Amino acid sequence: MSRSSFEALLGFHGAPTFAGEKPAVLLSFRKSQFEDFDAMLASFLPCFHCKGISVLRLVEGEEYVLVLFYRVRRIARLVKRADAKALLRACGYDADAPLAELLAELQRRMELRKTFPHEIGVFLGYPVEDVRGFMEHHGKDFALSGYWKVYGNPDVARALFARYTACSEEFCKKLDDGVKFEDLVVAS
């Protein structure tokens, strides 16, 4: 996969995060699609670092890698909210731990279970009421489905989903028009 194809992939799936609309995105990559995935990802790290985006390989296998791209300050604020702390505590986290420790615990759980712990939604910036609703209803009986399953306020979520979609379309159009990826990534 070429650099421009990688940028298009990042833009298509992660534009709301890279454009500053959403605090985080989790992307899956098939490493065999790249001549050297590690080098490709590493070439973007200076841009991400400069713009306040951290990159964490949550789980890695022989063929696939799940990478979390996140805005540290925004996620740190989200996980310190009372509702998020209560949910994380109920899931067995030390909710008072720093963000790095919370992410390390999430990573450990994903590696051990080989599944997505439902509380990952908190780290992706989903509303806590939707994360809790997903857990309580086992992914069923939701009011709306889009970027995540909505159990709380579908009107607010619908507007947010529309904003994310418009952001992705605009980001990808600008990439197609020749704007540099680095120029499209918004600093926190």
mmCIF file of all heavy atoms in Angstrom, residues 6 10 14 17-18 22-29 37 41 44-45 48 53-56 66-71 75 123-124:
data_model
loop_
_atom_site.group_PDB
_atom_site.id
_atom_site.type_symbol
_atom_site.label_atom_id
_atom_site.label_comp_id
_atom_site.label_asym_id
_atom_site.label_seq_id
_atom_site.Cartn_x
_atom_site.Cartn_y
_atom_site.Cartn_z
ATOM 1 N N PHE A 6 -2.504 4.862 2.181
ATOM 2 C CA PHE A 6 -2.565 4.821 3.637
ATOM 3 C C PHE A 6 -3.248 6.082 4.175
ATOM 4 O O PHE A 6 -4.086 6.020 5.065
ATOM 5 C CB PHE A 6 -1.155 4.673 4.212
ATOM 6 C CG PHE A 6 -1.108 4.430 5.694
ATOM 7 C CD1 PHE A 6 -1.629 3.281 6.247
ATOM 8 C CD2 PHE A 6 -0.516 5.358 6.546
ATOM 9 C CE1 PHE A 6 -1.580 3.037 7.619
ATOM 10 C CE2 PHE A 6 -0.450 5.133 7.916
ATOM 11 C CZ PHE A 6 -0.984 3.970 8.448
ATOM 12 N N LEU A 10 -6.613 6.288 6.390
ATOM 13 C CA LEU A 10 -6.695 7.047 7.642
ATOM 14 C C LEU A 10 -7.814 8.081 7.566
ATOM 15 O O LEU A 10 -8.599 8.238 8.502
ATOM 16 C CB LEU A 10 -5.366 7.743 7.947
ATOM 17 C CG LEU A 10 -4.182 6.875 8.339
ATOM 18 C CD1 LEU A 10 -2.909 7.729 8.440
ATOM 19 C CD2 LEU A 10 -4.434 6.147 9.642
ATOM 20 N N GLY A 14 -10.782 7.689 9.921
ATOM 21 C CA GLY A 14 -10.419 8.436 11.108
ATOM 22 C C GLY A 14 -10.521 9.942 11.010
ATOM 23 O O GLY A 14 -10.116 10.642 11.939
ATOM 24 N N THR A 17 -11.449 12.180 14.017
ATOM 25 C CA THR A 17 -10.413 12.292 15.044
ATOM 26 C C THR A 17 -9.284 13.190 14.557
ATOM 27 O O THR A 17 -8.851 14.096 15.271
ATOM 28 C CB THR A 17 -9.872 10.898 15.432
ATOM 29 O OG1 THR A 17 -10.936 10.154 16.007
ATOM 30 C CG2 THR A 17 -8.723 11.004 16.422
ATOM 31 N N PHE A 18 -8.829 12.980 13.339
ATOM 32 C CA PHE A 18 -7.709 13.764 12.829
ATOM 33 C C PHE A 18 -8.082 15.228 12.607
ATOM 34 O O PHE A 18 -7.238 16.113 12.704
ATOM 35 C CB PHE A 18 -7.141 13.128 11.566
ATOM 36 C CG PHE A 18 -6.666 11.717 11.793
ATOM 37 C CD1 PHE A 18 -7.104 10.673 10.996
ATOM 38 C CD2 PHE A 18 -5.802 11.426 12.834
ATOM 39 C CE1 PHE A 18 -6.688 9.375 11.228
ATOM 40 C CE2 PHE A 18 -5.373 10.129 13.082
ATOM 41 C CZ PHE A 18 -5.815 9.098 12.267
ATOM 42 N N LYS A 22 -13.564 14.365 16.979
ATOM 43 C CA LYS A 22 -13.770 13.185 17.818
ATOM 44 C C LYS A 22 -12.466 12.910 18.566
ATOM 45 O O LYS A 22 -11.390 13.097 17.999
ATOM 46 C CB LYS A 22 -14.156 12.007 16.900
ATOM 47 C CG LYS A 22 -14.632 10.766 17.579
ATOM 48 C CD LYS A 22 -15.164 9.783 16.515
ATOM 49 C CE LYS A 22 -15.607 8.501 17.124
ATOM 50 N NZ LYS A 22 -14.531 7.702 17.680
ATOM 51 N N PRO A 23 -12.536 12.466 19.816
ATOM 52 C CA PRO A 23 -11.301 12.312 20.597
ATOM 53 C C PRO A 23 -10.427 11.108 20.229
ATOM 54 O O PRO A 23 -9.236 11.117 20.506
ATOM 55 C CB PRO A 23 -11.787 12.201 22.038
ATOM 56 C CG PRO A 23 -13.201 11.768 21.946
ATOM 57 C CD PRO A 23 -13.730 12.275 20.642
ATOM 58 N N ALA A 24 -11.009 10.081 19.612
ATOM 59 C CA ALA A 24 -10.202 8.885 19.345
ATOM 60 C C ALA A 24 -10.858 8.021 18.276
ATOM 61 O O ALA A 24 -12.064 8.101 18.047
ATOM 62 C CB ALA A 24 -10.032 8.065 20.622
ATOM 63 N N VAL A 25 -10.025 7.186 17.670
ATOM 64 C CA VAL A 25 -10.516 6.203 16.715
ATOM 65 C C VAL A 25 -9.637 4.957 16.830
ATOM 66 O O VAL A 25 -8.433 5.049 17.077
ATOM 67 C CB VAL A 25 -10.515 6.754 15.264
ATOM 68 C CG1 VAL A 25 -9.108 7.049 14.763
ATOM 69 C CG2 VAL A 25 -11.244 5.804 14.312
ATOM 70 N N LEU A 26 -10.259 3.810 16.661
ATOM 71 C CA LEU A 26 -9.546 2.536 16.674
ATOM 72 C C LEU A 26 -9.595 1.972 15.262
ATOM 73 O O LEU A 26 -10.682 1.755 14.718
ATOM 74 C CB LEU A 26 -10.209 1.562 17.654
ATOM 75 C CG LEU A 26 -9.551 0.198 17.813
ATOM 76 C CD1 LEU A 26 -8.153 0.339 18.405
ATOM 77 C CD2 LEU A 26 -10.416 -0.704 18.695
ATOM 78 N N LEU A 27 -8.426 1.758 14.674
ATOM 79 C CA LEU A 27 -8.356 1.266 13.301
ATOM 80 C C LEU A 27 -7.623 -0.066 13.248
ATOM 81 O O LEU A 27 -6.645 -0.281 13.963
ATOM 82 C CB LEU A 27 -7.645 2.273 12.395
ATOM 83 C CG LEU A 27 -8.269 3.665 12.300
ATOM 84 C CD1 LEU A 27 -7.451 4.559 11.396
ATOM 85 C CD2 LEU A 27 -9.702 3.576 11.820
ATOM 86 N N SER A 28 -8.107 -0.919 12.381
ATOM 87 C CA SER A 28 -7.497 -2.228 12.170
ATOM 88 C C SER A 28 -6.741 -2.208 10.845
ATOM 89 O O SER A 28 -7.269 -1.749 9.830
ATOM 90 C CB SER A 28 -8.594 -3.301 12.126
ATOM 91 O OG SER A 28 -8.041 -4.552 11.814
ATOM 92 N N PHE A 29 -5.522 -2.714 10.878
ATOM 93 C CA PHE A 29 -4.705 -2.772 9.672
ATOM 94 C C PHE A 29 -4.244 -4.203 9.430
ATOM 95 O O PHE A 29 -3.814 -4.883 10.373
ATOM 96 C CB PHE A 29 -3.458 -1.888 9.822
ATOM 97 C CG PHE A 29 -3.769 -0.439 10.012
ATOM 98 C CD1 PHE A 29 -3.790 0.109 11.283
ATOM 99 C CD2 PHE A 29 -4.049 0.380 8.928
ATOM 100 C CE1 PHE A 29 -4.069 1.453 11.471
ATOM 101 C CE2 PHE A 29 -4.335 1.718 9.108
ATOM 102 C CZ PHE A 29 -4.345 2.258 10.388
ATOM 103 N N PHE A 37 4.732 -2.087 7.297
ATOM 104 C CA PHE A 37 3.726 -1.358 8.065
ATOM 105 C C PHE A 37 4.360 -0.496 9.148
ATOM 106 O O PHE A 37 3.982 0.657 9.347
ATOM 107 C CB PHE A 37 2.705 -2.310 8.702
ATOM 108 C CG PHE A 37 1.724 -1.589 9.584
ATOM 109 C CD1 PHE A 37 0.669 -0.882 9.029
ATOM 110 C CD2 PHE A 37 1.875 -1.595 10.960
ATOM 111 C CE1 PHE A 37 -0.221 -0.189 9.835
ATOM 112 C CE2 PHE A 37 0.989 -0.903 11.775
ATOM 113 C CZ PHE A 37 -0.064 -0.203 11.204
ATOM 114 N N LEU A 41 3.692 3.516 9.460
ATOM 115 C CA LEU A 41 3.093 4.151 10.623
ATOM 116 C C LEU A 41 4.081 5.137 11.262
ATOM 117 O O LEU A 41 3.715 6.261 11.614
ATOM 118 C CB LEU A 41 2.643 3.109 11.644
ATOM 119 C CG LEU A 41 1.919 3.650 12.875
ATOM 120 C CD1 LEU A 41 0.640 4.393 12.482
ATOM 121 C CD2 LEU A 41 1.591 2.505 13.832
ATOM 122 N N PHE A 44 4.339 8.733 10.064
ATOM 123 C CA PHE A 44 3.275 9.665 10.432
ATOM 124 C C PHE A 44 3.391 10.147 11.887
ATOM 125 O O PHE A 44 2.713 11.095 12.267
ATOM 126 C CB PHE A 44 1.898 9.010 10.233
ATOM 127 C CG PHE A 44 1.497 8.920 8.800
ATOM 128 C CD1 PHE A 44 1.963 7.894 7.998
ATOM 129 C CD2 PHE A 44 0.662 9.874 8.238
ATOM 130 C CE1 PHE A 44 1.592 7.804 6.669
ATOM 131 C CE2 PHE A 44 0.291 9.805 6.911
ATOM 132 C CZ PHE A 44 0.758 8.766 6.120
ATOM 133 N N LEU A 45 4.204 9.486 12.677
ATOM 134 C CA LEU A 45 4.282 9.819 14.100
ATOM 135 C C LEU A 45 4.698 11.258 14.377
ATOM 136 O O LEU A 45 4.121 11.899 15.267
ATOM 137 C CB LEU A 45 5.185 8.827 14.836
ATOM 138 C CG LEU A 45 4.661 7.387 14.896
ATOM 139 C CD1 LEU A 45 5.636 6.496 15.648
ATOM 140 C CD2 LEU A 45 3.274 7.312 15.493
ATOM 141 N N PHE A 48 1.551 13.333 13.955
ATOM 142 C CA PHE A 48 0.591 13.087 15.029
ATOM 143 C C PHE A 48 1.061 13.700 16.343
ATOM 144 O O PHE A 48 0.296 14.355 17.046
ATOM 145 C CB PHE A 48 0.331 11.587 15.199
ATOM 146 C CG PHE A 48 -0.406 10.970 14.051
ATOM 147 C CD1 PHE A 48 -0.079 9.704 13.616
ATOM 148 C CD2 PHE A 48 -1.436 11.637 13.400
ATOM 149 C CE1 PHE A 48 -0.767 9.116 12.558
ATOM 150 C CE2 PHE A 48 -2.132 11.064 12.345
ATOM 151 C CZ PHE A 48 -1.785 9.798 11.923
ATOM 152 N N ILE A 53 -1.769 14.109 18.917
ATOM 153 C CA ILE A 53 -2.404 12.796 18.759
ATOM 154 C C ILE A 53 -1.396 11.719 19.146
ATOM 155 O O ILE A 53 -0.273 11.706 18.640
ATOM 156 C CB ILE A 53 -2.883 12.572 17.310
ATOM 157 C CG1 ILE A 53 -3.935 13.613 16.949
ATOM 158 C CG2 ILE A 53 -3.418 11.158 17.121
ATOM 159 C CD1 ILE A 53 -4.323 13.638 15.493
ATOM 160 N N SER A 54 -1.809 10.839 20.034
ATOM 161 C CA SER A 54 -0.967 9.710 20.425
ATOM 162 C C SER A 54 -1.414 8.469 19.677
ATOM 163 O O SER A 54 -2.569 8.366 19.254
ATOM 164 C CB SER A 54 -1.053 9.472 21.931
ATOM 165 O OG SER A 54 -0.409 10.507 22.619
ATOM 166 N N VAL A 55 -0.499 7.547 19.539
ATOM 167 C CA VAL A 55 -0.749 6.314 18.797
ATOM 168 C C VAL A 55 -0.364 5.141 19.693
ATOM 169 O O VAL A 55 0.741 5.100 20.221
ATOM 170 C CB VAL A 55 0.085 6.284 17.491
ATOM 171 C CG1 VAL A 55 -0.133 4.994 16.724
ATOM 172 C CG2 VAL A 55 -0.236 7.500 16.623
ATOM 173 N N LEU A 56 -1.304 4.219 19.863
ATOM 174 C CA LEU A 56 -1.071 3.055 20.712
ATOM 175 C C LEU A 56 -1.519 1.800 19.977
ATOM 176 O O LEU A 56 -2.667 1.692 19.556
ATOM 177 C CB LEU A 56 -1.850 3.186 22.026
ATOM 178 C CG LEU A 56 -1.812 1.993 22.978
ATOM 179 C CD1 LEU A 56 -0.410 1.745 23.497
ATOM 180 C CD2 LEU A 56 -2.789 2.217 24.130
ATOM 181 N N LEU A 66 -4.380 -3.607 15.749
ATOM 182 C CA LEU A 66 -5.389 -2.610 16.106
ATOM 183 C C LEU A 66 -4.666 -1.423 16.722
ATOM 184 O O LEU A 66 -3.955 -1.580 17.721
ATOM 185 C CB LEU A 66 -6.383 -3.167 17.123
ATOM 186 C CG LEU A 66 -7.368 -4.196 16.610
ATOM 187 C CD1 LEU A 66 -8.181 -4.761 17.766
ATOM 188 C CD2 LEU A 66 -8.303 -3.566 15.591
ATOM 189 N N VAL A 67 -4.841 -0.266 16.108
ATOM 190 C CA VAL A 67 -4.135 0.926 16.534
ATOM 191 C C VAL A 67 -5.142 1.970 17.010
ATOM 192 O O VAL A 67 -6.095 2.290 16.298
ATOM 193 C CB VAL A 67 -3.273 1.506 15.390
ATOM 194 C CG1 VAL A 67 -2.516 2.742 15.858
ATOM 195 C CG2 VAL A 67 -2.307 0.451 14.852
ATOM 196 N N LEU A 68 -4.910 2.481 18.213
ATOM 197 C CA LEU A 68 -5.725 3.544 18.773
ATOM 198 C C LEU A 68 -5.017 4.869 18.525
ATOM 199 O O LEU A 68 -3.867 5.055 18.925
ATOM 200 C CB LEU A 68 -5.915 3.327 20.281
ATOM 201 C CG LEU A 68 -6.742 4.373 21.015
ATOM 202 C CD1 LEU A 68 -8.208 4.304 20.591
ATOM 203 C CD2 LEU A 68 -6.624 4.177 22.525
ATOM 204 N N PHE A 69 -5.706 5.766 17.828
ATOM 205 C CA PHE A 69 -5.237 7.127 17.623
ATOM 206 C C PHE A 69 -6.094 7.988 18.544
ATOM 207 O O PHE A 69 -7.325 7.953 18.439
ATOM 208 C CB PHE A 69 -5.437 7.562 16.168
ATOM 209 C CG PHE A 69 -4.682 6.725 15.173
ATOM 210 C CD1 PHE A 69 -5.236 5.559 14.659
ATOM 211 C CD2 PHE A 69 -3.420 7.112 14.745
ATOM 212 C CE1 PHE A 69 -4.545 4.786 13.740
ATOM 213 C CE2 PHE A 69 -2.722 6.334 13.817
ATOM 214 C CZ PHE A 69 -3.285 5.167 13.315
ATOM 215 N N TYR A 70 -5.467 8.738 19.431
ATOM 216 C CA TYR A 70 -6.269 9.470 20.406
ATOM 217 C C TYR A 70 -5.632 10.798 20.782
ATOM 218 O O TYR A 70 -4.418 10.964 20.752
ATOM 219 C CB TYR A 70 -6.529 8.627 21.654
ATOM 220 C CG TYR A 70 -5.294 8.260 22.447
ATOM 221 C CD1 TYR A 70 -4.978 8.942 23.615
ATOM 222 C CD2 TYR A 70 -4.448 7.232 22.034
ATOM 223 C CE1 TYR A 70 -3.851 8.610 24.359
ATOM 224 C CE2 TYR A 70 -3.325 6.894 22.763
ATOM 225 C CZ TYR A 70 -3.029 7.586 23.916
ATOM 226 O OH TYR A 70 -1.915 7.263 24.635
ATOM 227 N N ARG A 71 -6.491 11.719 21.147
ATOM 228 C CA ARG A 71 -6.085 13.038 21.614
ATOM 229 C C ARG A 71 -6.004 12.968 23.137
ATOM 230 O O ARG A 71 -7.020 12.862 23.811
ATOM 231 C CB ARG A 71 -7.058 14.095 21.127
ATOM 232 C CG ARG A 71 -7.014 14.208 19.608
ATOM 233 C CD ARG A 71 -7.882 15.311 19.076
ATOM 234 N NE ARG A 71 -7.699 15.420 17.631
ATOM 235 C CZ ARG A 71 -6.815 16.204 17.041
ATOM 236 N NH1 ARG A 71 -6.041 16.986 17.765
ATOM 237 N NH2 ARG A 71 -6.708 16.236 15.727
ATOM 238 N N ILE A 75 -9.174 12.689 25.919
ATOM 239 C CA ILE A 75 -9.498 11.402 26.539
ATOM 240 C C ILE A 75 -9.231 11.462 28.038
ATOM 241 O O ILE A 75 -10.008 10.936 28.836
ATOM 242 C CB ILE A 75 -8.705 10.252 25.878
ATOM 243 C CG1 ILE A 75 -9.131 10.081 24.421
ATOM 244 C CG2 ILE A 75 -8.885 8.948 26.637
ATOM 245 C CD1 ILE A 75 -10.588 9.732 24.225
ATOM 246 N N PHE A 123 -13.101 5.119 26.008
ATOM 247 C CA PHE A 123 -11.822 5.592 25.475
ATOM 248 C C PHE A 123 -11.958 6.126 24.050
ATOM 249 O O PHE A 123 -11.097 6.862 23.581
ATOM 250 C CB PHE A 123 -10.776 4.479 25.528
ATOM 251 C CG PHE A 123 -10.490 4.010 26.922
ATOM 252 C CD1 PHE A 123 -11.118 2.878 27.431
ATOM 253 C CD2 PHE A 123 -9.624 4.709 27.739
ATOM 254 C CE1 PHE A 123 -10.872 2.444 28.723
ATOM 255 C CE2 PHE A 123 -9.370 4.282 29.049
ATOM 256 C CZ PHE A 123 -10.001 3.150 29.535
ATOM 257 N N LEU A 124 -13.018 5.735 23.366
ATOM 258 C CA LEU A 124 -13.266 6.220 22.008
ATOM 259 C C LEU A 124 -14.130 7.477 22.001
ATOM 260 O O LEU A 124 -14.408 8.030 20.944
ATOM 261 C CB LEU A 124 -13.923 5.116 21.175
ATOM 262 C CG LEU A 124 -13.037 3.901 20.921
ATOM 263 C CD1 LEU A 124 -13.817 2.784 20.249
ATOM 264 C CD2 LEU A 124 -11.818 4.282 20.078
#
